[in-house]
Amino acid sequence: MGANTSHISDLSDNPSLRALMGTESISENDPFWNQLISFTFISPTSSGDSKLLEEAVIPLAKILIENNPRTGNFGALVRIFLGRTKELKISTECQDQLFIWQAHNALFMIRCLLKVFIREMSEEELHLQFSYQERAPGSCGETGSEDLLEELLSNLIHLIVEVPLLDITYSILFEAVTTLLVFFSYQLFHKDILRDGLIYQHIMKGRCLSLTSRLVKTLLYNFIRQEKCPPPTHIFEPKAEGGLLYGLASGVASGLWSVFTLGGAGSKAGIDQEHNPLPLSNQSLLLLLVLANLTDGPDWPNPYRQAITCFRNTQDTSSLSVEQPHTFQINFNSLYTALCEQQRSDQATLLLYTLLHQNTNMRTYMLSRTDMDNLVLPILEILYHVEDRNSHHVYMALIILLILTEDDAFNRSIHEVILKNVSWYTERTLTEISLGSLLILVVIRTIQFNMTRTRDKYLHTNCLAALANMSAQFRCLHQYAAQRIISLFALLSKKHNKVLEQATQSLRGRQGDNTALPDYAQDLNVIEEVIRMMLEIINSCLSNSLHHNPNLVYALLYKRELFEQFRTHPSFQDIMQNLDTVIGFFSQRLEQAGSDLSVERVQEVIMKGAQALPTDRLKKFPELKFKYVEEDQPEDFFIPYVWSLVFNSGVGLHWSPHGIELFSMDSG
């Protein structure tokens, strides 16, 4: 940084930076500041370059921490930036690119220093760094006349919500969002969830509060717009009449802006750009998730979560409720489209979960869409590639399905959507299958994967709950989906027999010492719970829509011997009555039809029999309905999860894993 610095290795030798960090106070009127923020430093966006920058800034920031109480130079730099922000809107309207460029550079320097400060000191000590001022002879080095930290936070939010997103403002808006993320990064260095503190107080209750809904709306629109970084040719185009300043700007800025395409031609960061070509969209989404998951105060709710919970569609013409102080309107169609397109990332899936779970307006809108396949297919693809995803992403995808399956209209409509050639489903070629049957296939595959690998009871429970919610509305199940339901039951049956045998052998071998028994007993208990649930799902389908599902009846008859052992089992006797009735009824009709029947003839007998079976022959069971309920203190799960996403996916941000307390490094 500084007028002529273009490489990270030059930072420590840069005379302007050395003056900023040094022992002499620099007046805010000094031409030095103009020179300092007219640098051509290439802002890193790849994680590798961000790491190099961080390592170069740390020693400089530590010198500043030592000297700033005497010089107040950090506060002066902040005030220089604040002075520039007051004119940003006008500069944008006038296309004053030099002014925006310098304001961006000042903020970039502040962000780099803040990142080190936050790692090195408490919030109270950080606050002091903002309060030191240059010392005139005989004056005190601190003043209480203004809270510069709150002023900076408030200005950053003003900047984000008021400066329009254009090619010339893209980088400063990105920097403002990133700086706010850095402010919240204290959480990374604490194992416990932070529920208070200066920054928290300012954001939740101070001058920032009135901008809550505008900030949430702007961050959502940044996510929706998915704007790529502008190409460098759009910025600082030389103008013949521009005089010295424009000539200077177009010359010195070319290096800076070529990187602010986040890895433009010839830059090492080009590799990273392929992974994240939408830095502002990504960073805005991360900030939104951080804000939405801040904890409620002792006597006030989180206003950002309130805003996310109650915003409405721009086409909703009813008057806004006075009881919802942070509500606003946004284009639901645009938001829905962006959510459908972005589910490859954890953070977009987490946003979808948040909106489905907390915003009833958005949930109602999504469930009313006639193109639900655009949303459901990406979620199924996440689950299909379960071995390549982190467990949190899989959980979120599953819970989204569970919330969707709470709606009966959704459960009916997914069987009416016919898909052609699902390219990512590679186990078997599916030339034509309903969305409902595909959903069943993917959820069953997830259960089977979990049984053989992770053995996570929570995963089983959610998978089975989603299938149970759907079961009464199963319609025209694909032959392969019906087979997989029965195959899963076969797998569970086999596992049940194996554990039962191990438990019996263990008892015999121990002769009274049954210390190993509890493990087997627990395993047996879990397997029997899952078997019971699978029987209830099959029974629910047979009781409610047998005549719509000949393929399930066929699969059931084909593997009827599987169910023999459970007929007299006390845990399953009641539910087995209906399956026995169905198996017995159709077996009899097939016997009457003769021997050596073709598959087509068997299916014909089943179709006719389904119409003939009296419904009162089947015992009624309570409807299977499961509702997703968040755990108590959900922040214990969501805050570490959100920060692991910031840690791993923040563009141009690098934190050393040493000192991170909030989560273990393998949980991200």
Side-chain angles (χ1 to χ4, degrees):
M1 291 173 251
N4 299 311
T5 297
S6 58
H7 298 289
I8 291 171
S9 56
D10 300 337
L11 283 182
S12 57
D13 299 325
N14 181 275
S16 297
L17 277 181
R18 287 168 71 175
L20 175 69
M21 312 297 166
T23 54
E24 298 295 320
S25 292
I26 305 164
S27 165
E28 288 169 42
N29 303 318
D30 196 304
F32 162 84
W33 296 105
N34 210 36
Q35 182 187 7
L36 178 75
I37 59 177
S38 298
F39 58 78
T40 57
F41 184 80
I42 292 184
S43 306
T45 55
S46 73
S47 52
D49 286 349
S50 300
K51 183 172 184 282
L52 289 173
L53 174 66
E54 175 98 341
E55 289 166 354
V57 169
I58 286 172
L60 295 171
K62 285 184 175 177
I63 296 167
L64 181 60
I65 291 168
E66 192 178 323
N67 293 330
N68 190 47
R70 292 192 298 280
T71 66
N73 285 345
F74 178 70
L77 173 62
V78 172
R79 279 187 287 275
I80 293 293
F81 167 70
L82 293 176
R84 294 277 195 291
T85 61
K86 290 179 175 66
E87 308 297 330
L88 270 179
K89 211 171 176 186
I90 298 164
S91 302
T92 305
E93 288 163 9
C94 302
Q95 298 279 301
D96 186 348
Q97 299 169 13
L98 177 69
F99 197 90
I100 297 166
W101 170 57
Q102 289 188 324
H104 162 269
N105 286 356
L107 181 55
F108 175 68
M109 293 179 76
I110 291 165
R111 188 252 286 184
C112 289
L113 293 168
L114 269 176
K115 200 158 164 298
V116 181
F117 287 3
I118 285 168
R119 178 138 200 170
E120 295 290 322
M121 61 182 75
S122 69
E123 276 189 279
E124 290 72 21
E125 291 167 325
L126 177 72
H127 194 231
L128 281 175
Q129 293 295 332
F130 280 87
S131 66
Y132 301 125
Q133 292 196 2
E134 63 172 295
R135 290 189 179 182
S139 72
C140 179
E142 287 183 42
T143 176
S145 61
E146 61 175 324
D147 190 330
L148 200 57
L149 189 150
E150 184 174 18
E151 179 93 358
L152 177 57
L153 285 167
S154 174
N155 265 265
L156 289 173
I157 295 175
H158 270 283
L159 195 163
I160 293 165
V161 302
E162 287 178 358
V163 173
L165 175 53
L166 307 169
D167 282 355
I168 59 170
T169 60
Y170 190 102
S171 59
I172 194 164
L173 289 169
F174 170 81
E175 200 55 55
V177 170
T178 305
T179 306
L180 280 178
L181 267 179
V182 167
F183 263 118
F184 286 112
S185 66
Y186 268 111
Q187 181 62 79
L188 279 170
F189 308 106
H190 291 81
K191 197 162 189 63
D192 296 329
I193 304 301
L194 298 181
R195 299 171 191 274
D196 206 348
L198 278 169
I199 293 161
Y200 174 94
Q201 293 275 350
H202 288 323
I203 288 289
M204 292 285 228
K205 296 170 73 179
R207 289 157 53 184
C208 303
L209 184 63
S210 62
L211 295 168
T212 295
S213 56
R214 289 180 66 194
L215 178 59
V216 170
K217 183 176 183 174
T218 304
L219 294 174
L220 276 171
Y221 269 126
N222 287 349
F223 166 70
I224 287 168
R225 288 175 67 173
Q226 304 286 317
E227 290 283 350
K228 293 189 177 179
C229 254
T233 51
H234 286 191
I235 305 167
F236 285 111
E237 290 171 350
K239 298 183 180 180
E241 73 285 3
L244 177 63
L245 276 180
Y246 268 113
L248 168 74
S250 58
V252 298
S254 58
L256 174 80
W257 293 118
S258 68
V259 232
F260 244 87
T261 60
L262 297 198
S267 161
K268 281 194 294 183
I271 302 160
D272 275 47
Q273 189 184 8
E274 291 304 309
H275 298 299
N276 201 330
L278 307 166
L280 180 61
S281 173
N282 179 76
Q283 222 83 323
S284 295
L285 179 50
L286 290 172
L287 177 59
L288 184 66
L289 293 170
V290 167
L291 290 168
N293 286 284
L294 291 172
T295 56
D296 292 336
D299 52 2
W300 67 88
N302 174 349
Y304 302 95
R305 191 182 302 125
Q306 280 185 314
I308 283 169
T309 302
C310 63
F311 70 77
R312 303 185 317 170
N313 198 349
T314 44
Q315 293 172 346
D316 185 346
T317 52
S318 59
S319 58
L320 297 174
S321 169
V322 186
E323 294 167 14
Q324 297 173 322
H326 302 294
T327 193
F328 60 90
Q329 289 181 292
I330 198 165
N331 186 310
F332 277 16
N333 182 52
S334 303
L335 181 53
Y336 179 81
T337 303
L339 285 166
C340 292
E341 289 171 353
Q342 295 299 313
Q343 287 308 305
R344 288 178 306 282
S345 79
D346 275 72
Q347 44 268 43
T349 305
L350 184 51
L351 176 63
L352 173 58
Y353 159 79
T354 305
L355 295 178
L356 265 176
H357 178 52
Q358 298 184 5
N359 189 313
T360 50
N361 303 321
M362 192 70 198
R363 180 166 66 247
T364 303
Y365 174 83
M366 287 190 203
L367 288 166
S368 71
R369 294 285 300 211
T370 55
D371 60 347
M372 274 300 289
D373 50 310
N374 287 339
L375 189 69
V376 175
L377 280 170
I379 297 299
L380 294 182
E381 197 173 349
I382 293 166
L383 292 176
Y384 187 77
H385 297 295
V386 58
E387 59 273 12
D388 303 326
R389 302 285 179 184
N390 72 65
S391 60
H392 288 6
H393 200 182
V394 172
Y395 283 153
M396 288 299 105
L398 259 181
I399 292 166
I400 286 164
L401 285 186
L402 179 54
I403 293 170
L404 292 172
T405 61
E406 289 170 19
D407 183 77
D408 283 344
F410 170 83
N411 294 332
R412 282 192 297 273
S413 66
I414 54 174
H415 293 288
E416 293 162 12
V417 178
I418 304 300
L419 307 167
K420 309 274 187 189
N421 298 315
V422 183
S423 58
W424 47 261
Y425 194 97
T426 54
E427 259 126 291
R428 178 174 172 145
T429 306
L430 301 173
T431 50
E432 194 169 288
I433 188 170
S434 72
L435 180 60
S437 286
L438 181 67
L439 197 159
I440 292 164
L441 283 174
V442 172
V443 171
I444 286 175
R445 186 179 182 276
T446 309
I447 293 172
Q448 290 181 320
F449 173 83
N450 186 43
M451 281 173 64
T452 54
R453 306 278 183 87
T454 54
R455 299 177 69 194
D456 181 334
K457 189 179 176 184
Y458 186 76
L459 207 66
H460 269 341
T461 306
N462 282 306
C463 285
L464 291 165
L467 288 177
N469 282 348
M470 294 165 60
S471 59
Q473 270 94 26
F474 283 172
R475 293 288 184 278
C476 305
L477 286 185
H478 189 280
Q479 178 188 354
Y480 186 50
Q483 283 173 16
R484 298 308 294 156
I485 290 171
I486 304 303
S487 296
L488 175 58
F489 191 83
L491 186 67
L492 289 165
S493 174
K494 193 175 173 186
K495 204 167 178 61
H496 180 264
N497 292 341
K498 187 178 175 186
V499 173
L500 203 57
E501 190 183 325
Q502 286 172 330
T504 310
Q505 283 176 352
S506 172
L507 266 177
R508 283 184 192 139
R510 298 267 169 175
Q511 294 179 338
D513 176 11
N514 63 352
T515 50
L517 184 60
D519 282 349
Y520 290 122
Q522 198 177 358
D523 282 354
L524 201 60
N525 190 34
V526 170
I527 290 165
E528 288 187 355
E529 277 179 29
V530 177
I531 287 173
R532 169 82 195 186
M533 193 82 157
M534 282 302 297
L535 287 171
E536 287 180 349
I537 288 165
I538 295 166
N539 174 63
S540 171
C541 175
L542 297 175
S543 302
N544 291 284
S545 52
L546 182 140
H547 56 290
H548 288 298
N549 291 292
N551 284 331
L552 184 63
V553 176
Y554 184 96
L556 194 63
L557 292 170
Y558 190 70
K559 293 282 190 180
R560 71 191 93 172
E561 74 285 347
L562 274 177
F563 300 90
E564 290 288 334
Q565 60 176 310
F566 299 110
R567 182 176 290 135
T568 54
H569 194 293
S571 300
F572 312 121
Q573 261 179 323
D574 59 336
I575 205 87
M576 279 301 302
Q577 286 176 25
N578 281 352
L579 270 72
D580 272 346
T581 301
V582 171
I583 290 170
F585 176 82
F586 284 98
S587 297
Q588 189 180 5
R589 291 185 77 94
L590 286 171
E591 280 172 27
Q592 290 168 357
S595 54
D596 295 329
L597 302 176
S598 66
V599 172
E600 291 75 16
R601 178 72 183 117
V602 170
Q603 286 174 330
E604 189 186 323
V605 171
I606 290 170
M607 292 285 277
K608 284 183 179 171
Q611 304 299 328
L613 177 64
T615 51
D616 58 5
R617 291 270 302 274
L618 299 179
K619 182 184 169 188
K620 287 290 175 199
F621 283 84
E623 190 181 3
L624 290 180
K625 273 294 165 197
F626 292 87
K627 193 171 172 59
Y628 169 70
V629 179
E630 258 186 4
E631 301 275 340
D632 291 338
Q633 297 183 302
E635 63 272 17
D636 292 343
F637 171 83
F638 285 103
I639 290 177
Y641 180 31
V642 168
W643 277 103
S644 73
L645 298 180
V646 177
F647 181 86
N648 289 307
S649 312
V651 179
L653 286 170
H654 166 79
W655 283 276
S656 165
H658 306 295
I660 301 292
E661 294 283 336
L662 183 61
F663 49 80
S664 60
M665 284 300 112
D666 58 356
S667 69

